[in-house]
Amino acid sequence: MQSMNISLPDPLKQFVDGQVSQGRYSSASEYVRELIRADEKRKAEEQLEAKLLEGLNTAESELTPSDWSAIRAEALARMQARKKTS
């Protein structure tokens, strides 16, 4: 595992320390890793949604909004399953 040093203003450092002291995370590193994972997930979901909407908006698409919802739900479930095995 690689190390990374970051600088935070005092209010942000205090916030992170508060999250750790409340027992939500075992360390500041764990908190930052969780934030990064959440950001990765959000970006992947945005990319998936953009691609699905692009497909829906093409003339060749016969997908309905309910089709899109089902595909999106299945894709998100697969992403969750993949993250659990990582």
Side-chain angles (χ1 to χ4, degrees):
M1 184 180 298
Q2 296 286 325
S3 288
M4 179 183 287
N5 295 321
I6 61 170
S7 299
L8 297 173
D10 286 338
L12 290 180
K13 172 77 167 92
Q14 291 170 358
F15 180 80
V16 172
D17 290 343
Q19 297 300 304
V20 173
S21 69
Q22 291 176 11
R24 296 183 64 189
Y25 303 93
S26 63
S27 67
S29 292
E30 181 185 338
Y31 180 67
V32 171
R33 283 191 297 270
E34 182 61 32
L35 289 175
I36 293 169
R37 285 185 200 106
D39 192 42
E40 285 179 322
K41 177 182 176 186
R42 181 185 56 80
K43 288 179 192 272
E45 288 173 350
E46 286 174 358
Q47 289 175 348
L48 172 63
E49 188 165 345
K51 288 179 181 183
L52 291 171
L53 288 172
E54 180 183 322
L56 282 174
N57 292 327
T58 62
E60 296 125 23
S61 177
E62 295 182 19
L63 294 175
T64 66
S66 63
D67 293 331
W68 176 83
S69 294
I71 292 168
R72 185 173 190 269
E74 181 180 345
L76 291 173
R78 287 183 183 188
M79 284 177 27
Q80 289 294 340
R82 192 176 314 149
K83 287 203 178 230
K84 288 180 183 177
T85 61
S86 309

